[in-house]
Each structure stands twice: as C-alpha cells, then as structure tokens.
C-alpha cells in the first residue's frame, strides 16, 4: 500500500474461503504470501520527430509491474478498496491521471495470481 500511496484500511478483513492470503499474509495482516518479489516502475522518454516539419517532441512512457498474489485476494486493503485487485486498479487510475493520460492511452496485461 505504501507503493500505491494509499492508507491502510483501519481494519483488515480476513479472506473468504476462495481468497488469499493463505499462509504468512493470513497471520500477518496487510502482508503477502510472496517473498522476495516487489512492484516495479520503469520509465523512459522517447524522442520522435515529424518528418514534414523536423520538429521533435518527447513522449514519456512508463511500464509498471504490480504484484498480485492470488486471483482474488485481500492482502492490500485500503481506506478505498477491499481487495488487492481493487487497489491495483485504483493505483493504475491514479498513475494515469497523474500523467494526464486515460485508459485509452494504456495497456493492462493481467496474469493469474502468482499462487493460483
């Protein structure tokens, strides 16, 4: 949640029977069952020129890898969200807004949870 600049929920709700975490995170609220993995943000600037005018302009681009432990999990509950998936979506929306972008400017690739 620190990575997403979100405050933790005042109370952590335990997972339902079909949600994670199931091990370390279950005994340690707001923690993950995954060890030695983390969120990553990679940014770059691409300079391109218009062949008709020779004007150059810069485009800032970014790619982000967000850890999601289970297909449905409650590890990252915030004051605004109840599941890690909701937290990830809110974080992505905030990052797009911060950069003046929309969902139409983005691509989101989702994989099954790392423990599923």
């Amino acid at each position: 949640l620190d990575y997403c600049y979100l405050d933790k929920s005042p109370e952590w709700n335990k997972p339902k029977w079909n949600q994670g975490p199931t091990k370390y995170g279950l005994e340690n609220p707001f923690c993950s069952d995954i060890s030695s993995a983390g969120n990553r943000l990679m940014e770059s600037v691409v300079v391109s020129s218009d062949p008709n005018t020779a004007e150059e302009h810069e485009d800032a681009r970014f790619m982000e890898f967000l850890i999601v432990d289970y297909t449905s999990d409650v590890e990252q509950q915030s004051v605004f969200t109840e599941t890690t998936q909701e937290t990830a979506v809110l974080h992505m929306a905030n990052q797009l807004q911060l950069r003046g972008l929309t969902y139409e400017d983005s691509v989101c690739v989702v994989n099954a949870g790392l423990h599923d």
Side-chain angles (χ1 to χ4, degrees):
L1 289 171
D2 290 340
Y3 179 86
C4 296
Y5 305 103
L6 296 171
D7 292 327
K8 291 180 183 177
S9 173
E11 184 176 324
W12 189 73
N13 297 310
K14 290 186 177 187
K16 297 175 184 165
W17 68 271
N18 61 344
Q19 294 179 310
T22 61
K23 297 177 184 164
Y24 182 82
L26 184 59
E27 297 172 7
N28 300 276
F30 301 102
C31 291
S32 176
D33 285 349
I34 297 176
S35 62
S36 68
N39 300 314
R40 299 279 187 273
L41 174 65
M42 293 149 275
E43 297 179 278
S44 65
V45 175
V46 176
V47 178
S48 59
S49 60
D50 183 334
N52 298 322
T53 63
E55 291 181 18
E56 289 188 346
H57 77 278
E58 294 182 351
D59 284 326
R61 299 187 181 175
F62 74 101
M63 180 175 75
E64 197 160 22
F65 179 76
L66 300 174
I67 297 294
V68 177
D69 207 354
Y70 295 88
T71 304
S72 178
D73 76 44
V74 296
E75 292 171 356
Q76 298 183 38
Q77 298 172 31
S78 78
V79 293
F80 304 108
T81 60
E82 296 180 5
T83 66
T84 301
Q85 289 74 13
E86 291 173 351
T87 301
V89 169
L90 178 59
H91 174 70
M92 289 187 291
N94 289 343
Q95 290 298 305
L96 291 173
Q97 184 178 24
L98 179 70
R99 290 169 166 79
L101 302 171
T102 69
Y103 285 114
E104 293 175 1
D105 299 314
S106 67
V107 175
C108 179
V109 178
V110 178
N111 193 1
L114 298 174
H115 271 120
D116 288 333

